[in-house]
Amino acid sequence: MDAMTILSTKGLTKSYGGIKANTDIDFALPRGKTMALIGPNGAGKSTFVGMLCGRIPATSGDVFFEGENINALPAHQRISLGIAYTFQITSVFAGLSLHENVALAARRRLGADVAAVDAKVADVLARVGLAERTDQNAGDLSYGHQRLLEIAMGLAQDPRLFILDEPTQGLADSEVADFITLINTLAGETTILLIEHNMDVVMQTATHITVLNAGEVLAAGTPDEIRANTAVQAAYLGTSDA
């Protein structure tokens, strides 16, 4: 694997009863960059990301992280390697405070060092704009704020790769603007894979874009190249949900 690539796939395929959700996907994620994965509903984005994270077993093909084949590793072991991710559906602990939610994530890397954990919690909650809510129960947050809390939980692990699945869903316009700023401040700190329908977010954050359609890679390139690609325009950018 190229030293400039942190994660890649070769021929990655997922079939359900003979129906292919993803077909022979070759994919490369540049280290330290923000890549967006886009495509119409039903394009196979969530299935593909599930195979990257280890939540969905591949039917065939390979996933490589830092040059090593991780096909056999379950999701929790991939997290230990430095892969963090958020889901389309929030997965916070509703009965715990924001501080406790983020502390649980931080302890994966920092262990029982209370001072270090508390400092990390304060830092990431401030970065996502939730510092003043640290003692509030996560279940009392709006859906959009729960999305931000999930991002804080991911950041608390200091991931080498951070996969964000529809992170701006449910956010107000001002929160989307703050999210764009946050992602751009993370440039170089970590590698980000952003699965996102909001094309303003994509175009303002991503240096590279991969487009899936009908479970296959339709195109890959810079934002300008994707914007000018007629096949992408026909399949996705011209649709109402873009």
Side-chain angles (χ1 to χ4, degrees):
M1 186 181 70
D2 189 323
M4 298 301 292
T5 300
I6 190 170
L7 180 141
S8 64
T9 69
K10 184 68 175 177
L12 201 62
T13 298
K14 180 62 182 180
S15 297
Y16 294 99
I19 299 174
K20 289 185 176 180
N22 291 132
T23 304
D24 293 329
I25 295 182
D26 294 339
F27 173 83
L29 183 56
R31 184 186 306 276
K33 303 295 185 181
T34 297
M35 173 180 277
L37 182 68
I38 68 172
N41 292 329
K45 302 185 297 296
S46 293
T47 300
F48 177 65
V49 170
M51 289 190 286
L52 299 184
C53 297
R55 293 184 290 110
I56 297 175
T59 302
S60 61
D62 297 291
V63 181
F64 300 91
F65 182 68
E66 297 284 17
E68 299 295 327
N69 190 312
I70 61 172
N71 276 9
L73 297 184
H76 71 274
Q77 290 187 13
R78 298 188 193 195
I79 291 172
S80 297
L81 293 177
I83 300 175
Y85 53 85
T86 66
F87 299 103
Q88 277 186 301
I89 301 171
T90 57
S91 57
V92 301
F93 298 97
L96 300 180
S97 70
L98 274 65
H99 183 281
E100 290 166 328
N101 268 273
V102 179
L104 284 172
R107 290 190 194 106
R108 287 177 174 165
R109 189 182 67 84
L110 299 172
D113 187 334
V114 175
V117 168
D118 286 348
K120 175 59 70 174
V121 171
D123 174 59
V124 297
L125 284 177
R127 293 189 80 169
V128 302
L130 295 176
E132 295 182 358
R133 299 173 180 265
T134 184
D135 295 323
Q136 185 175 347
N137 271 12
D140 295 334
L141 295 177
S142 68
Y143 180 79
H145 283 154
Q146 288 187 16
R147 302 294 291 169
L148 294 174
L149 175 58
E150 272 199 317
I151 293 170
M153 292 166 69
L155 291 176
Q157 301 170 56
D158 290 326
R160 294 152 83 182
L161 168 60
F162 197 7
I163 300 174
L164 296 156
D165 197 352
E166 300 288 357
T168 65
Q169 183 178 316
L171 297 186
D173 289 346
S174 61
E175 292 168 337
V176 171
D178 289 342
F179 173 81
I180 290 171
T181 300
L182 172 64
I183 294 301
N184 287 333
T185 63
L186 292 173
E189 285 186 34
T190 186
T191 305
I192 295 172
L193 178 59
L194 188 66
I195 299 87
E196 181 59 68
H197 273 292
N198 186 322
M199 292 308 299
D200 287 337
V201 173
V202 169
M203 294 299 177
Q204 291 184 58
T205 59
T207 58
H208 301 71
I209 299 172
T210 293
V211 186
L212 290 187
N213 189 47
E216 301 182 22
V217 174
L218 176 64
T222 66
D224 285 344
E225 289 169 340
I226 295 302
R227 188 184 285 114
N229 187 302
T230 54
V232 175
Q233 290 172 4
Y236 183 56
L237 293 183
T239 64
S240 61
D241 66 350

